[in-house]
Amino acid sequence: MRIEWIDGFEIHVSVDHGKAVISANKEGLLSLAKQLTALAEENLGSHIHYDEHNSLEEGSADLTIERISTEED
């Protein structure tokens, strides 16, 4: 799967009282949209892992998004 980033992206993930919050600038949201679209076309079980070492702002919680089955699969 091709992971694309738009220059200048900023994404932060936090978890507070069991609630995950994804905060992103325009470039970050557009980058995530492209990546989620690509993930939707992948095989079941495919996933994207985000953390502060490869894509998220410092202090962010890790985030994994996984492609699962639906009735249409």
Side-chain angles (χ1 to χ4, degrees):
M1 170 176 25
R2 185 169 179 197
I3 301 294
E4 294 184 43
W5 295 101
I6 296 174
D7 288 341
F9 75 92
E10 293 181 16
I11 305 168
H12 185 269
V13 176
S14 60
V15 179
D16 185 27
H17 296 96
K19 181 175 99 174
V21 177
I22 299 171
S23 304
N25 63 1
K26 179 180 178 179
E27 294 81 5
L29 292 172
L30 291 170
S31 295
L32 288 173
K34 284 183 168 199
Q35 293 167 24
L36 292 174
T37 299
L39 181 59
E41 300 300 325
E42 290 294 316
N43 295 325
L44 300 179
S46 296
H47 67 278
I48 304 172
H49 178 80
Y50 302 94
D51 61 41
E52 67 180 353
H53 302 292
N54 70 12
S55 53
L56 302 179
E57 298 300 304
E58 185 175 331
S60 290
D62 290 5
L63 175 67
T64 300
I65 301 176
E66 181 179 14
R67 166 77 160 83
I68 62 169
S69 176
T70 65
E71 291 180 14
E72 296 175 10
D73 291 325

